[in-house]
Amino acid sequence: MNQQETTLPEDIANSLTPILYPDDLYQFDTVANSITGGFSSVRQADIDYFHENGYLVIEDAFSSEEINNAIAGMVHLMDGKKPDFRAIQFESKLAKLKDDMNEQDRRDAIRKIFNFVNHEPRLNALAEHQGLLQVLEQIMDDKPVLFQDMALVKPPRHGTEKPWHQDCAYFNLAHGTTVVGVWIALDEATAENGCMHIIPGSHNQGPMIHFNRRDWQICDTDVPIARDTMVPLQPGGCLFWHGLTHHGSPVNHSSKRRRALQFHYKPASTEDIKTQERMEMFGSEGKDVDC
């Protein structure tokens, strides 16, 4: 399960044409602030930092054993070891080739798996980690409720961009709800292999109009890229971010894969809204978008 350099066979690699974006859309000169000491090290000052800046990074949130177990659970599902689990999304240009791939190439053709917490206890263990839930409760001042789970993959050399966006643009939740995303690095996430990028404080700007371009995204020209901040993480590192914080990740140009878990939580007391209400806040093209 250790990180390995890899490359797809030439015929498969040649079938992929990267979707281009402006060269200066992601900046690589500023790194996010972070704390160490695990979940138990979080203090009120860190919670205040989250509310002011829209993010919190804990470098050593999970142990190597917890991460290795999570990778094993993720691979177990990817390899079809649980026949009733089918929530696997392949890179669109590789989906038709998957049946002819070897085991490792097939894993590297997967973009994400989702809705897995009821299928794989090794992944659910991280989603229900007591330290994680305690930090979320401090942030929300309410009981956190998990409502979305996924594992994200940026395969070597062709892992695609996720354009700048706000997660609340995908969810039918009332404006003002403290939605919190949690991103857990399973591999080392670096500038080269497509680590997360955020705009600190951008959650304070409120909802942004999104458009269906490369994805459901904020218009490139509306992103304050001068404030772009990278979040490189070692395995076990954890990023919390507000559902209105602008974030995205560039293409993986390296020879190393970048796997991560992503969970979204909402306060137990929150109420759902209708899709039309969300579209009025975030844009009329967002009826059937999927995070």
Side-chain angles (χ1 to χ4, degrees):
M1 301 302 173
N2 293 330
Q3 175 75 31
Q4 297 177 346
E5 292 197 0
T6 187
T7 183
L8 286 172
E10 186 174 358
D11 59 332
I12 296 176
N14 288 341
S15 71
L16 294 161
T17 301
I19 300 175
L20 300 179
Y21 49 83
D23 290 339
D24 63 350
L25 190 57
Y26 299 92
Q27 307 295 301
F28 298 90
D29 56 358
T30 304
V31 175
N33 293 324
S34 61
I35 63 173
T36 60
F39 295 117
S40 63
S41 68
V42 175
R43 300 291 181 263
Q44 184 58 46
D46 304 309
I47 303 301
D48 294 342
Y49 185 91
F50 174 91
H51 288 298
E52 180 179 353
N53 294 281
Y55 80 94
L56 174 65
V57 178
I58 304 176
E59 292 185 13
D60 51 358
F62 296 94
S63 69
S64 58
E65 180 180 4
E66 289 170 322
I67 294 302
N68 287 336
N69 286 339
I71 292 173
M74 181 177 173
V75 170
H76 185 76
L77 295 177
M78 284 178 153
D79 289 350
K81 304 299 185 183
K82 205 148 195 179
D84 61 330
F85 179 79
R86 299 182 180 179
I88 299 176
Q89 182 182 106
F90 287 83
E91 289 284 355
S92 58
K93 294 184 178 181
L94 293 177
K96 293 181 179 180
L97 304 173
K98 66 181 186 298
D99 293 337
D100 297 323
M101 295 178 181
N102 63 39
E103 188 176 71
Q104 185 57 66
D105 290 340
R106 187 180 183 279
R107 293 173 191 166
D108 282 336
I110 292 172
R111 180 176 182 267
K112 69 179 179 181
I113 65 174
F114 50 97
N115 296 342
F116 50 68
V117 291
N118 293 324
H119 294 267
E120 179 45 68
R122 289 169 290 190
L123 295 173
N124 190 47
L126 271 63
E128 294 189 345
H129 191 285
Q130 285 304 303
L132 173 67
L133 296 179
Q134 287 170 7
V135 172
L136 288 167
E137 186 167 350
Q138 288 178 270
I139 290 173
M140 297 177 177
D141 197 24
D142 198 347
K143 180 181 178 181
V145 176
L146 177 70
F147 70 96
Q148 186 188 62
D149 59 281
M150 61 179 69
L152 305 171
V153 182
K154 277 191 185 289
R157 294 193 173 89
H158 71 269
T160 53
E161 176 210 19
K162 178 66 176 179
W164 291 100
H165 64 285
Q166 297 171 304
D167 286 343
C168 285
Y170 291 90
F171 307 138
N172 290 344
L173 296 171
H175 180 52
T177 301
T178 305
V179 175
V180 181
V182 176
W183 199 94
I184 302 165
L186 301 180
D187 300 308
E188 183 182 13
T190 68
E192 293 74 27
N193 72 0
C195 72
M196 187 81 84
H197 289 237
I198 59 172
I199 305 292
S202 55
H203 64 304
N204 294 314
Q205 295 176 235
M208 298 286 293
I209 295 298
H210 286 54
F211 303 89
N212 272 318
R213 297 299 184 263
R214 299 185 302 281
D215 201 328
W216 179 234
Q217 63 178 93
I218 299 170
C219 182
D220 292 339
T221 57
D222 289 338
V223 179
I225 55 178
R227 290 157 49 201
D228 179 7
T229 300
M230 292 189 300
V231 190
L233 290 172
Q234 294 294 318
C238 181
L239 164 67
F240 297 80
W241 74 96
H242 192 285
L244 289 176
T245 298
H246 304 188
H247 62 290
S249 60
V251 167
N252 180 0
H253 290 296
S254 79
S255 60
K256 294 183 178 180
R257 66 182 56 86
R258 192 229 69 184
R259 296 168 295 188
L261 298 180
Q262 182 171 296
F263 303 120
H264 279 102
Y265 299 84
K266 62 182 179 180
S269 60
T270 194
E271 296 182 0
D272 291 349
I273 60 174
K274 296 184 182 298
T275 298
Q276 183 61 37
E277 293 178 74
R278 173 174 58 82
M279 291 167 59
E280 289 171 1
M281 289 188 286
F282 292 100
S284 60
E285 299 176 12
K287 183 177 180 180
D288 298 314
V289 292
D290 180 30
C291 186

